[in-house]
Amino acid sequence: MPETLISASEISERVDELAREIDATYRDEGELVLIGVLKGSFIFLADLSRSLTIPHRIEFIAVSSYGDSESTRRTGDVRLLMDIRHPVTDIHVLLVEDIIDTGHTIEYLQRLLAARSPASLRICSLVRKLDRAEIEVEVDYLGFDIPDVWVVGYGLDWAERYRTLPDICVVVPES
Ligand code: PRP
């Protein structure tokens, strides 16, 4: 079994703190849309969204950043699999990620959405692996910095397993 790195209660506390920060930023700013990056962000997005007190819409976007689902290699080759449904022109956009690893996915999404002229574009990520960064990404709302270990749970998977674990846990892939 994977070992716990960040417990469900620590996650819950941090999600509430992030929601308070986001509330404060956007309170008087007009329309806000949270864009969850599938699949990994779905649990984080659900909790974050319900912890916010300000009105907001939800969209999802899906990208692929792996050669295959069991590989741990990052190629930087990001592809759009599913776009959001509504335009974001002149709307405040908060991209919600579960993890920033090399940074390629978020950089791709930033470029894609910035080209659509949103009122603002900010990044929220539950975790970030600083040691793995290949691209410098400015994260506006960050849950936790973590070491370079393979994490699962709370939406994060290893070959589609362990997404529904309540804690964020460490798994050691078999070689
Ligand atoms: C993960 C995560 C990010 C991306 C980050 O997605 O959800 O989108 O990798 O990696 P990067 O910073 O190196 O680009 P994954 O490809 O595992 O897909 P999933 O969310 O569907 O599990």
Side-chain angles (χ1 to χ4, degrees):
M1 260 319 265
E3 281 187 21
T4 300
L5 181 68
I6 308 168
S7 71
S9 61
E10 287 174 297
I11 296 169
S12 166
E13 208 173 293
R14 191 71 189 112
V15 169
D16 283 343
E17 287 171 359
L18 292 175
R20 299 293 73 77
E21 284 180 45
I22 294 165
D23 273 344
T25 303
Y26 294 99
R27 185 163 308 283
D28 301 313
E29 293 299 311
E31 207 174 346
L32 170 67
V33 61
L34 267 50
I35 302 182
V37 184
L38 293 174
K39 303 175 199 170
S41 74
F42 77 111
I43 292 178
F44 176 42
L45 181 77
D47 284 348
L48 184 69
S49 171
R50 288 178 295 177
S51 190
L52 289 175
T53 63
I54 51 168
H56 58 279
R57 291 198 292 113
I58 302 291
E59 290 270 357
F60 288 101
I61 198 162
V63 291
S64 161
S65 57
Y66 274 160
D68 67 76
S69 61
E70 298 204 14
S71 168
T72 57
R73 282 180 294 115
R74 298 275 172 178
T75 63
D77 179 20
V78 182
R79 282 181 306 127
L80 184 65
L81 299 179
M82 186 195 85
D83 207 341
I84 52 175
R85 291 196 188 173
H86 298 100
V88 291
T89 309
D90 297 332
I91 294 171
H92 294 283
V93 171
L94 182 60
L95 260 175
V96 179
E97 262 289 20
D98 53 339
I99 184 165
I100 296 175
D101 191 327
T102 62
H104 287 289
T105 302
I106 207 72
E107 197 247 358
Y108 170 87
L109 288 169
Q110 265 181 324
R111 269 192 288 117
L112 182 85
L113 293 166
R116 299 176 185 182
S117 305
S120 67
L121 176 58
R122 292 189 176 89
I123 311 288
C124 176
S125 184
L126 181 63
V127 297
R128 172 178 63 180
K129 286 186 192 174
L130 265 185
D131 293 348
R132 295 260 307 164
E134 290 175 11
I135 293 176
E136 211 173 297
V137 178
E138 201 175 307
V139 186
D140 301 279
Y141 307 97
L142 177 67
F144 305 92
D145 269 319
I146 60 168
D148 184 11
V149 289
W150 192 272
V151 281
V152 296
Y154 201 70
L156 290 146
D157 76 309
W158 178 61
E160 296 300 327
R161 295 178 67 195
Y162 305 122
R163 280 198 203 274
T164 53
L165 290 177
D167 306 317
I168 293 177
C169 300
V170 177
V171 68
V172 181
E174 290 160 27
S175 56

